[in-house]
Amino acid sequence: MDSKTLSCLLISDFQVENLAGLINNDAEAPILQAKSAPFGQVVPLLMDSNHELWKGPLDSLIIWTQPQSISPAYAKLLDYQDAHLDHVLNDVERFANLILKNSNRAKYLFIPLWVIPTYHRGYGFLDAKSDRGASPVLSKMNLVLTEMLSPSKNTFVLSTNRWIETAGKNAFNPKLWYMGKIAFGHEVFLECVRDVKAALRALTGQAKKLIILDLDDTLWGGIVGDDGYQNLKLGGHDHIGEAYVDFQRALKSLTRRGIILGIASKNDESVALKAISEHPEMILKLEDFAGWKINWNDKAQNIADLVDELNLGLPSVVVIDDNPLERARVREALPEIFVPDWPQDPMLYKSTLLNLRVFDHPPITSEDKKRTEMYKTEGQRSSLKSAVGSLDEWFEKLEIKIHAEELNDANLPRAAQLLNKTNQWNLSTRRLSDKELMDWVQQGHHKLWVIRVADRFGDYGLTGIVSADLQNDLVSLVDFVLSCRVIGRKVEETMLAVAVNFARRSKARELKAQYLATEKNKPCLEFFEKSGFQRTENIFTWDAAQPYLTPRAIQLSGITIDG
Amino acid sequence: MATKDEIRDVIYSAIDEVNLMLPKDRKIEKASHAPLSADKGGLDSLGLINMIIAIEQKLEGRFKKSVSLANEQMMPQGQNPFANVDTLADYILKILEN
């Protein structure tokens, strides 16, 4: 067994080889090596300190029993025989004391609470009122067991009821019992493995401490840069808006458990921060975040930088992002970070978050609760050099396909829609009706291409427009429009390559792009500043004697770029 | 009516579930002639119990029929229906038809 594998012994009054098998095959950290004691020997084993099973160090011990085996008095109650509650609780106390005596056998003990099969209805509708009802007596048994084991620092009771609810109707199968003395179905054992591992991660310092969140369609519905914060789906009399608010509330609740929050978002920082500060239904405020990276740079690098600044390690981080491409990028570049699969439907965000088993922590201290503030004041602006791997290699893996075609009747409606609704990535922010756009294109010296983008994560459809006006030996870039959905996939550079190619084929001297500033299109300016074009105030020019190379990772169709 | 291919799919899905509990060197292959019973080099008694229950649950989920695979009256005389995936599929088809 290597140093990272933890040992685990299962002691039970039913067959637990299934559980041992699931534990041994489970690849999630920490890795466990489990073996099961012969079943039906719980009390004799716990009373025999010389048994060979106790020889050698043991990292974890799971003692899983059925209530009727530990308490003969409870077994009588299940049979509707006379038995007093005091006798039942005496049985429980004896068992709890036996566990406590054995609490030094392993580093950590896990005691699943007692349940009975759902077909045991006890006294039916009177069960809860009866002092001999199967359910109320079982609740008292579990309460006494929990209270008695509570002082033991290394003994933890686990909620079997949640496993039963998750497993549903296959939680219990009488056939499994009669054929193999297996008390629970497969799903119940799987849930047990997940919870035990979550506990061991917490106890061995592997719990997650930081959640880094995307913004658009993650913390709120919509794209803040395009829609404006007033039009985001957040709160209001809307089921999706309500779901986003609840998701934010759930994140805020985690901060009270010592989890800190950060933001990594491709957005204009001032626009995003304004939304957080001013949207009336934002639950999370700026002070809830220990740090943020809001810009148009590679998200993985941004995350690495943020984690650096907060003086945390990558293994303590969870990244939540609605975009599968961004999730894949972060997983590939920063494999130590946990990036859960994320549902498409915001109504599932809260439940998905709360069901993640990575935030289990040892007992919360008041220091944990103040952790966000600590990180805000202690964070250092250190140099960012966490290794995130090569971005170019990442683009090659994406298999990005771009198709450029001229405007036609079929693509006109979508092109006009894109032109009129895009704000951030829009050079000149022209607004034209379908007819006006087609009329403009049909003037001989105008050209317009629509850009379709796909990669291995999906087909994004018509998401770009580039148009040009040829006047003598000068080509002016008129429209440069791109949907936020495809930013950062080298589509921007490819669109420039298309425009420059047109200028070169038209024997123009240069290509000129005039940036017309609006409240929202600063991202477009920032791109042109890095594009290689020469800048004079708000005019960007390219010498048409030089080609503008299509990025290597792009497969371009519909047009040939001269080399 | 269920087809043999559909039954095989159910069996393979059950194999996936059972394999989660088996050590690497004892995992069952998802192939028509993959042996299932111990005498053919397949599952031990506990594994077979898990396989039977998993298949019964998946059959009920998929075809809304409650079947009992450990039904001695349905067992073919002198043959082991759990010899391999194919024989098991044939056996299940026969049960569903009846």
Side-chain angles (χ1 to χ4, degrees):
Chain A
M1 196 159 53
D2 66 54
S3 59
K4 290 193 186 141
T5 302
L6 304 180
S7 56
C8 179
L9 178 64
L10 309 176
I11 296 181
S12 180
D13 54 19
F14 55 89
Q15 172 63 265
V16 281
E17 280 297 329
N18 286 357
L19 178 59
L22 289 173
I23 288 173
N24 291 337
N25 283 325
D26 188 76
E28 218 180 344
I31 300 298
L32 297 181
Q33 184 64 49
K35 64 179 176 191
S36 43
F39 82 86
Q41 304 289 316
V42 176
V43 172
L45 268 171
L46 291 176
M47 292 183 74
D48 181 2
S49 50
N50 293 319
H51 199 285
E52 60 168 7
L53 280 173
W54 300 128
K55 293 188 176 23
L58 188 57
D59 295 303
S60 57
L61 172 61
I62 301 175
I63 304 173
W64 198 348
T65 58
Q66 300 172 92
Q68 63 271 26
S69 332
I70 296 302
S71 171
Y74 187 69
K76 281 186 171 178
L77 286 185
L78 285 181
D79 214 29
Y80 306 106
Q81 293 183 53
D82 263 343
H84 205 275
L85 178 64
D86 284 347
H87 296 151
V88 174
L89 297 183
N90 285 341
D91 292 336
V92 173
E93 284 171 13
R94 262 196 299 277
F95 182 60
N97 280 324
L98 190 56
I99 294 174
L100 288 170
K101 273 201 183 119
N102 283 271
S103 60
N104 60 347
R105 297 269 183 229
K107 271 202 199 132
Y108 309 110
L109 277 74
F110 298 105
I111 315 295
L113 288 174
W114 290 308
V115 290
I116 51 173
T118 45
Y119 52 74
H120 269 300
R121 293 184 63 248
Y123 290 94
F125 75 104
L126 289 173
D127 198 59
K129 283 199 175 211
S130 167
D131 60 358
R132 293 174 197 175
S135 293
V137 171
L138 189 65
S139 298
K140 285 174 183 147
M141 290 169 72
N142 279 327
L143 188 58
V144 168
L145 182 69
T146 305
E147 283 174 348
M148 286 194 66
L149 296 180
S150 173
S152 168
K153 288 192 167 24
N154 70 330
T155 305
F156 305 96
V157 296
L158 300 178
S159 170
T160 321
N161 265 325
R162 258 189 329 96
W163 307 341
I164 303 300
E165 283 163 22
T166 305
K169 69 180 180 117
N170 290 330
F172 299 99
N173 188 325
K175 288 189 179 187
L176 278 172
W177 179 256
Y178 290 119
M179 289 167 77
K181 296 296 173 281
I182 304 164
F184 299 102
H186 181 76
E187 275 296 330
V188 174
F189 290 132
L190 277 175
E191 286 296 306
C192 173
V193 174
R194 288 173 191 141
D195 270 3
V196 166
K197 288 222 169 173
L200 285 169
R201 280 194 293 271
L203 292 163
T204 55
Q206 295 175 58
K208 305 299 180 189
K209 299 184 180 71
L210 166 64
I211 304 174
I212 296 180
L213 296 144
D214 177 47
L215 291 175
D216 294 326
D217 290 327
T218 299
L219 272 197
W220 53 62
I223 311 287
V224 66
D226 275 337
D227 302 334
Y229 79 81
Q230 301 89 336
N231 297 314
L232 295 176
K233 274 202 185 294
L234 187 62
H237 299 289
D238 176 80
H239 58 290
I240 299 293
E242 184 184 340
Y244 278 112
V245 163
D246 267 5
F247 177 55
Q248 288 197 19
R249 281 208 182 97
L251 287 162
K252 182 127 186 168
S253 72
L254 288 178
T255 66
R256 298 184 195 108
R257 289 175 52 188
I259 306 300
I260 63 174
L261 304 180
I263 299 171
S265 169
K266 283 188 175 161
N267 249 305
D268 186 289
E269 183 177 282
S270 60
V271 169
L273 294 183
K274 186 171 180 178
I276 293 171
S277 305
E278 298 195 15
H279 195 293
E281 306 246 24
M282 275 297 293
I283 301 296
L284 293 170
K285 307 295 181 196
L286 280 178
E287 56 265 30
D288 290 313
F289 297 100
W292 51 80
K293 291 285 180 199
I294 305 174
N295 53 51
W296 297 100
N297 297 337
D298 172 46
K299 188 165 276 202
Q301 188 63 63
N302 271 339
I303 287 169
D305 296 346
L306 182 58
V307 174
D308 254 350
E309 286 174 13
L310 296 175
N311 288 324
L312 288 168
L314 296 175
S316 67
V317 181
V318 179
V319 167
I320 294 179
D321 197 311
D322 73 294
N323 187 327
L325 173 73
E326 297 289 9
R327 295 200 297 268
R329 167 61 182 150
V330 176
R331 281 181 190 136
E332 191 253 6
L334 302 166
E336 293 169 283
I337 284 184
F338 176 53
V339 186
D341 283 333
W342 204 248
Q344 283 191 311
D345 190 339
M347 289 191 280
L348 300 176
Y349 281 11
K350 175 185 169 180
S351 55
T352 304
L353 173 71
L354 295 179
N355 212 21
L356 292 176
R357 272 169 256 221
V358 294
F359 303 117
D360 289 25
H361 263 267
I364 306 292
T365 63
S366 55
E367 187 190 86
D368 290 323
K369 290 182 181 163
K370 289 190 241 161
R371 192 175 283 151
T372 298
E373 203 45 52
M374 263 169 58
Y375 282 103
K376 279 169 68 108
T377 54
E378 289 179 15
Q380 296 163 0
R381 302 286 159 193
S382 59
S383 66
L384 40 103
K385 292 312 168 204
S386 300
V388 295
S390 155
L391 200 47
D392 284 337
E393 281 174 17
W394 166 247
F395 282 126
E396 300 272 356
K397 287 179 193 171
L398 280 184
E399 297 161 18
I400 306 166
K401 295 183 173 66
I402 294 178
H403 180 78
E405 64 191 36
E406 294 190 27
L407 190 72
N408 56 47
D409 287 335
N411 59 37
L412 173 63
R414 172 62 188 143
Q417 183 191 48
L418 187 66
L419 183 76
N420 288 306
K421 82 172 187 118
T422 303
N423 293 308
Q424 294 190 90
W425 287 80
N426 197 329
L427 182 69
S428 56
T429 320
R430 284 202 304 165
R431 304 301 192 201
L432 300 173
S433 66
D434 292 23
K435 182 176 184 315
E436 286 166 339
L437 186 60
M438 186 57 92
D439 286 346
W440 183 86
V441 167
Q442 281 170 348
Q443 295 173 47
H445 52 104
H446 293 155
K447 223 38 170 173
L448 186 145
W449 298 268
V450 301
I451 306 294
R452 297 182 186 279
V453 181
D455 63 26
R456 67 183 172 96
F457 286 92
D459 187 337
Y460 306 96
L462 197 164
T463 39
I465 296 168
V466 56
S467 73
D469 177 1
L470 172 63
Q471 298 281 355
N472 301 319
D473 65 347
L474 178 65
V475 170
S476 297
L477 193 61
V478 179
D479 298 298
F480 183 91
V481 176
L482 197 55
S483 166
C484 288
R485 277 192 281 154
V486 294
I487 296 301
R489 287 170 180 69
K490 302 284 186 190
V491 182
E492 309 89 297
E493 292 86 346
T494 307
M495 285 164 60
L496 286 184
V498 168
V500 168
N501 192 60
F502 171 69
R504 284 163 59 76
R505 284 190 176 178
S506 307
K507 307 272 189 267
R509 174 176 45 85
E510 74 176 11
L511 173 71
K512 180 185 88 169
Q514 183 175 10
Y515 168 72
L516 297 175
T518 68
E519 254 186 29
K520 296 183 179 177
N521 70 346
K522 198 157 166 249
C524 196
L525 172 66
E526 288 168 359
F527 165 69
F528 272 90
E529 283 171 342
K530 292 186 276 198
S531 65
F533 274 47
Q534 286 292 320
R535 181 182 185 178
T536 309
E537 293 184 357
N538 66 332
I539 306 279
F540 294 84
T541 55
W542 181 268
D543 176 2
Q546 306 302 321
Y548 195 95
L549 297 177
T550 314
R552 204 182 60 188
I554 302 296
Q555 297 168 50
L556 178 63
S557 60
I559 200 164
T560 307
I561 304 290
D562 303 327
Chain B
M1 194 57 223
T3 65
K4 190 166 175 180
D5 278 344
E6 285 172 323
I7 302 296
R8 241 188 247 118
D9 278 347
V10 168
I11 296 172
Y12 289 157
S13 174
I15 288 175
D16 282 338
E17 187 174 302
V18 171
N19 275 347
L20 286 178
M21 297 182 264
L22 296 174
K24 263 190 210 149
D25 56 346
R26 287 180 31 212
K27 291 195 193 292
I28 302 295
E29 198 192 341
K30 289 195 294 190
S32 307
H33 297 292
L36 293 178
S37 56
D39 59 339
K40 305 288 181 194
L43 298 161
D44 63 10
S45 57
L46 181 62
L48 206 50
I49 291 167
N50 285 322
M51 177 72 76
I52 286 170
I53 300 301
I55 290 172
E56 286 182 358
Q57 286 175 347
K58 288 170 196 305
L59 286 172
E60 180 159 5
R62 187 150 173 184
F63 302 109
K64 309 289 178 247
K65 286 193 178 185
S66 178
V67 302
S68 180
L69 297 185
N71 180 343
E72 287 177 1
Q73 287 170 343
M74 292 300 305
M75 296 261 182
Q77 295 285 340
Q79 288 175 25
N80 178 4
F82 297 97
N84 59 48
V85 170
D86 242 16
T87 57
L88 182 56
D90 287 333
Y91 172 55
I92 293 171
L93 264 176
K94 189 171 155 209
I95 292 180
L96 288 176
E97 277 160 14
N98 284 300

